[in-house]
Amino acid sequence: MSLLKSFKKNASVIMCITLLFSLFIVYPASASTFFQDRFEEGDNLWTSTSGNWTIVEDEGNSVYYQSATKEGRTSAGDPAWSDYTVEADVKAVDFNGSNRTYVAGRYIDGNNFYAASLYNSNDGMLEIRKKVSGSTTTLTSKPYALHTGVWYNVKLEMSGNTINMYVNDTLELSASDSKLKKGAAGLVTF
C-alpha cells in the first residue's frame, strides 16, 4: 500500500536512528495545511541542530533520514505557531534498546517543546512529554504494543492548554499543560 495513497496532499519524511518517518504535515485548528514538505527539492525548509540528516529515497519517495547514533533534532515552520497539529507516519526499523522518538510541537529549541513519544520500554509505551529548560517530564503515558516494520500515524494536537496524542486516528492520550505557548514543529530521535 502506498504510504501517500491514504494521505493525499501530505508530505513525506523519513528519519532514522531506529525509526522512519514517512509523512509530515502541520495544520492549524481550522484543518487547512500551513506546512508540508515532500523533500523533492531538498531539505532547505528544515534546521538540523544535531544528528546527521540527509534526503534519501524510500519506496519511491524522497524522505528525510537521520543516520547518527546520537540524538537527532530537526525543526521547521514558524516559531509563532500556537494551536496546531503535527502529524507523521512512523515506522520502527530497530528500536535498539529502549529508545524514543518524538513528533514535536511548540518546538522552540532542543530544550523546549511538547512531544508525542513512541517509547520502546516494556513492549511499548505512548507518552505525551514536555521538555522545558532542558528538563523532561512525562505528562501522561500508557502501554501500547510497538513493533518494528509497522507504520503508525502519530498526531500531536495542541490547542490552548490541551495536548492530545492520536495513533492511527484514535485518541490515545490527553494532557493539560500551560508552560509552552508557541513554537515550530520538530522531529527528535534518541
Side-chain angles (χ1 to χ4, degrees), residues 144 153 165-173:
Y144 191 92
N153 178 260
M165 179 180 184
Y166 294 81
V167 178
N168 299 331
D169 290 322
T170 300
L171 177 62
E172 296 290 347
L173 295 171

Side-chain angles (χ1 to χ4, degrees), residues 10 25 28 46 51 58 63 67 75 83 86 94 102 104 106 133 135 142-143 147 154 168 171 179 184 186 189:
N10 290 326
I25 188 168
W46 293 83
D58 181 65
V63 293
S67 60
S75 62
D83 293 347
V86 181
D94 176 9
Y102 293 157
R106 294 184 182 166
S133 299
S135 179
K142 74 184 251 186
H147 306 283
V154 178
N168 299 331
L171 177 62
K179 191 64 177 175
T189 62

Side-chain angles (χ1 to χ4, degrees), residues 16-18 50-52 66-72 96 99 189-190:
C16 179
I17 286 178
T18 58
S50 67
N52 184 27
Q66 202 291 100
S67 60
T69 56
K70 61 181 181 175
E71 180 179 282
N96 191 23
N99 293 329
T189 62
F190 292 95

